[in-house]
Amino acid sequence: MTEARLVVVDDEPNIRELLATSLRFAGFEVFAAADGLSAIQLITDTSPDLVVLDVMMPDLDGFEVTRRLREKGVHSPVLFLTAKDDTQDKVTGLTVGGDDYVTKPFSLEEVVARIRAILRRTQHVEENEAVLTYADLEMDEDSHEVRRAGVVVDLSPTEFKLLRYLMLNSGRVLSKTQILDHVWDYDWGGDANIVESYISYLRRKIDTVTLPDGNPVQPLIHTKRGVGYMLRQSR
Amino acid sequence: MTEARLVVVDDEPNIRELLATSLRFAGFEVFAAADGLSAIQLITDTSPDLVVLDVMMPDLDGFEVTRRLREKGVHSPVLFLTAKDDTQDKVTGLTVGGDDYVTKPFSLEEVVARIRAILRRTQHVEENEAVLTYADLEMDEDSHEVRRAGVVVDLSPTEFKLLRYLMLNSGRVLSKTQILDHVWDYDWGGDANIVESYISYLRRKIDTVTLPDGNPVQPLIHTKRGVGYMLRQSR
DNA sequence: ATATCGCCTGAGAATGACCTGAGTGGCGTC
DNA sequence: GACGCCACTCAGGTCATTCTCAGGCGATAT
C-alpha cells in the first residue's frame, strides 16, 4: 500500500506541488497534471490506484473529468478536492462509490488519511488493517476509536489527527512547525502555541489513564525541550 | 551521502562564503550563486541533490526561485535561510515536502544537521541510518537520543549540537574557536569560555557513566592543552 | 620553586520554552 | 434560543537552559 501509484490534479501550482511532494514523501508514487485534459491523458496512461482531483478547474471540472474517465472504462477511485461552499449535494452524491472528498483548505494529515482509507477499501488486502498500534495505544481508523491500555478514550477531531500523526512517526521527534504543517490546514496563520495546547489535551486523555491495578500508565508523549515532541515508550 | 552536490544561494558574500567553504569542508561538492536568476541557471545546469537558498534576496526571493524551478520540473529539495521574523507567515508549509528551513543567524552545525536530515530522507538509501556511533557512544538524530555504553543520557540542545560536532570530527583536535564557529550562531559575541563550560557539562553526562560491572567508563573527551578538544578512545 | 597561564567547574542571574487554566466565539443540536 | 462541544487565544507560573563570573587547580616555563 505504501507503493500505491497516485495522480494529483490541480491547476494551482502551489497546491499541486504541496500535494505531490508530501505524498511522495509519504511513500506514494506520484504523477501530477495541471488541467483536466492532460489529467485524462495521464490517468489513462498510468492507470493509478487513486486520483486526487481538484473540482474547480478552468477547462474541465473534476466531475467532468471523472465522467469521461468512467466512460472510457477507467475506474480508479477519486479523492476530490473541493471548496467549502461547493455544492454539497453534488459532492456527497459522488462519495457513494469508492470515492471521497476533502474540502480546501485541508491539512495534509486529512488527505493522507483519506487516501489510506480509500486504498484500504479498494485494494482489500487482508493485511491492510485499519488499526494503528504503538505500545498499549491503539487507534482504529475506521471506527475512529482510540484505546489506551484497553480503555477507550474519546478524542476531538483535531486531537485524533494529532495523535495519528504522532503514531505514524513514533520514535521520532517532531518539531512544533512540522506538526503545524501536517495536522493543521495549510493556510493556518495562528500561533504555534496551539500545538502545545493540543499536546496538553492529548496528554490528559491518553497519558493519565489508570490501569486496572490502580497504577497510572507510563506517559507516551514526551517533550524534547527546544526540539519538539515525540511518541515513545518511557524507559 | 558525503558526496552530495549542493548549490548555495545568498546575496551576502560573507554568508555565501562562510557556507560554501564550511560545507565543502564537511565533504559536500558545493557551487554558489549570488542572486536568484543565476541561481536558477546554476541549479538547472548542475541538478544538485539539495539547494541552500536565502529567502531575502534583491532580485527574486527564495520562494520565487523555488516556484520557477518547480515549474521547470526541477525537484531538488531546498533548505531555506530566513530571518527570524518572517518565520511564521510564509515559511510554514515548508517542512512537509522534502524542504526545511533555518533561521538567521544560524550555527553551521544547525545547517549541516538539517542538510544531512533532508538528504537522509530524500536519498532514502537503507544504509543512511540516522545514528552516529563512536566507540560505545551512540547518537540517534531522529529521536534525539544519546547513549553511552547503552545508558541513555539526556542532553540539552546545545550539548547535543556540540557532541554531534565532536562525533562528526572524532579523532581530530578541535580548537575552541573552531567549536565556537560551528556550534554557536555566527553572530555570537561572547567569551570562548562558554565552550569550556559546555565541555564540562558534556563530560559530566557522557564520561561519568557507570558500567553494569560497577566500573566507570573510559573518558572519550580529551583536552589538548593549548590546542583544543578531541573525541577519542583512551588508550 | 614560583609565577603564569590555561582550563575546570560551581554558583547564580537572566532568559525563554513550555504547560495549563481560564476565557471567547463559532457552530451544530435539541 | 439555550446548550454543549470544539477550536483557539491569552497570560501567568514553572522550570530547564544558557551564559557569565570568579576561585581553584594543575601544567608549564623560567
Side-chain angles (χ1 to χ4, degrees):
Chain A
M1 119 157 219
T2 44
E3 284 304 318
R5 181 164 35 198
L6 310 184
V7 164
V8 170
V9 188
D10 198 311
D11 57 304
E12 296 167 77
N14 287 333
I15 309 283
R16 196 170 62 241
E17 280 306 319
L18 175 71
L19 284 173
T21 36
S22 55
L23 291 177
R24 267 185 208 114
F25 180 62
F28 300 105
E29 185 181 2
V30 180
F31 300 92
D35 60 86
L37 282 175
S38 46
I40 291 174
Q41 186 64 49
L42 183 62
I43 293 164
T44 44
D45 286 356
T46 58
S47 63
D49 301 300
L50 184 146
V51 178
V52 180
L53 182 55
D54 190 24
V55 167
M56 278 275 279
M57 287 187 300
D59 61 334
L60 306 178
D61 72 16
F63 302 125
E64 183 60 21
V65 171
T66 315
R67 210 184 54 70
R68 297 203 190 176
L69 283 172
R70 299 295 185 251
E71 223 163 53
K72 297 177 77 173
V74 178
H75 290 291
S76 309
V78 176
L79 179 66
F80 293 98
L81 305 178
T82 82
K84 185 144 285 168
D85 48 347
D86 263 3
T87 52
Q88 214 65 353
D89 17 320
K90 278 181 92 177
V91 179
T92 42
L94 281 169
T95 65
V96 290
D99 303 343
D100 198 357
Y101 72 100
V102 168
T103 57
K104 286 184 177 184
F106 48 77
S107 70
L108 289 166
E109 259 307 293
E110 196 62 51
V111 174
V112 172
R114 297 299 177 102
I115 291 176
R116 284 164 47 87
I118 295 176
L119 292 179
R120 220 181 296 130
R121 276 186 269 128
T122 54
Q123 328 190 147
H124 32 262
V125 185
E126 283 313 315
E127 14 150 2
N128 264 353
E129 262 303 318
V131 180
L132 289 174
T133 306
Y134 183 77
D136 60 351
L137 184 61
E138 300 161 63
M139 164 179 284
D140 186 322
E141 298 196 67
D142 279 346
S143 64
H144 256 237
E145 210 173 61
V146 173
R147 292 168 189 272
R148 177 69 203 271
V151 182
V152 175
V153 292
D154 60 36
L155 304 180
S156 79
T158 307
E159 289 161 358
F160 188 87
K161 281 194 284 184
L162 172 56
L163 182 58
R164 182 172 45 209
Y165 184 50
L166 292 175
M167 290 184 78
L168 288 173
N169 292 281
S170 57
R172 192 171 315 174
V173 186
L174 302 166
S175 71
K176 274 184 281 192
T177 317
Q178 262 175 316
I179 294 175
L180 214 48
D181 286 350
H182 279 86
V183 177
W184 270 262
D185 295 347
Y186 59 73
D187 69 340
W188 164 258
D191 195 343
N193 176 12
I194 187 95
V195 177
E196 296 172 25
S197 287
Y198 273 86
I199 289 282
S200 176
Y201 299 154
L202 262 191
R203 280 191 166 131
R204 193 172 316 165
K205 292 188 176 176
I206 71 161
D207 275 351
T208 60
V209 173
T210 305
L211 295 171
D213 62 9
N215 290 321
V217 291
Q218 292 287 337
L220 290 177
I221 301 177
H222 301 272
T223 304
K224 286 281 172 182
R225 192 167 251 266
V227 189
Y229 299 97
M230 173 169 54
L231 195 71
R232 141 152 290 189
Q233 307 233 42
S234 14
R235 300 160 311 248
Chain B
M1 120 157 220
T2 43
E3 285 302 319
R5 180 165 37 197
L6 310 184
V7 164
V8 170
V9 188
D10 198 312
D11 58 303
E12 296 167 75
N14 289 333
I15 309 280
R16 194 170 63 242
E17 281 312 313
L18 174 71
L19 284 173
T21 37
S22 55
L23 290 177
R24 269 186 206 111
F25 185 68
F28 299 105
E29 185 181 2
V30 180
F31 301 91
D35 61 88
L37 281 176
S38 47
I40 291 175
Q41 186 63 49
L42 181 62
I43 292 163
T44 43
D45 287 355
T46 58
S47 64
D49 301 299
L50 184 145
V51 178
V52 180
L53 182 55
D54 190 23
V55 167
M56 278 276 279
M57 288 188 300
D59 61 334
L60 306 177
D61 74 15
F63 300 120
E64 182 61 21
V65 170
T66 315
R67 212 182 56 69
R68 296 203 190 177
L69 285 172
R70 299 295 186 250
E71 225 162 53
K72 296 177 78 172
V74 178
H75 289 288
S76 309
V78 176
L79 179 66
F80 291 96
L81 306 177
T82 84
K84 183 144 283 166
D85 45 332
D86 42 70
T87 31
Q88 223 53 338
D89 343 327
K90 301 183 79 176
V91 173
T92 42
L94 291 180
T95 73
V96 290
D99 302 344
D100 199 357
Y101 71 99
V102 167
T103 58
K104 284 184 176 185
F106 48 77
S107 69
L108 291 167
E109 253 314 290
E110 196 63 50
V111 174
V112 172
R114 298 298 178 103
I115 290 175
R116 286 166 45 86
I118 295 176
L119 293 179
R120 216 183 299 131
R121 278 187 267 131
T122 53
Q123 325 190 153
H124 33 259
V125 186
E126 282 313 315
E127 11 145 7
N128 263 353
E129 262 303 319
V131 180
L132 289 174
T133 306
Y134 182 77
D136 60 352
L137 184 61
E138 300 161 65
M139 164 178 285
D140 185 324
E141 299 196 67
D142 275 347
S143 63
H144 256 240
E145 216 173 58
V146 173
R147 292 168 188 271
R148 177 69 203 271
V151 181
V152 175
V153 295
D154 192 81
L155 303 181
S156 79
T158 306
E159 289 161 0
F160 189 88
K161 281 196 285 184
L162 172 57
L163 180 58
R164 183 171 45 205
Y165 184 50
L166 292 176
M167 290 183 78
L168 287 173
N169 293 281
S170 55
R172 197 173 314 170
V173 184
L174 301 165
S175 72
K176 273 185 281 191
T177 320
Q178 251 175 323
I179 294 175
L180 211 49
D181 287 347
H182 276 84
V183 178
W184 271 262
D185 294 347
Y186 59 72
D187 69 342
W188 163 258
D191 194 346
N193 175 16
I194 187 112
V195 177
E196 296 172 23
S197 286
Y198 273 87
I199 289 282
S200 174
Y201 297 155
L202 262 191
R203 280 190 165 129
R204 191 172 317 164
K205 291 188 177 178
I206 71 163
D207 275 351
T208 60
V209 173
T210 305
L211 295 171
D213 62 11
N215 290 321
V217 292
Q218 293 289 333
L220 290 176
I221 300 176
H222 301 273
T223 304
K224 290 285 170 188
R225 203 184 166 78
V227 189
Y229 299 97
M230 174 168 54
L231 195 70
R232 141 159 285 187
Q233 306 233 42
S234 16
R235 293 163 312 242

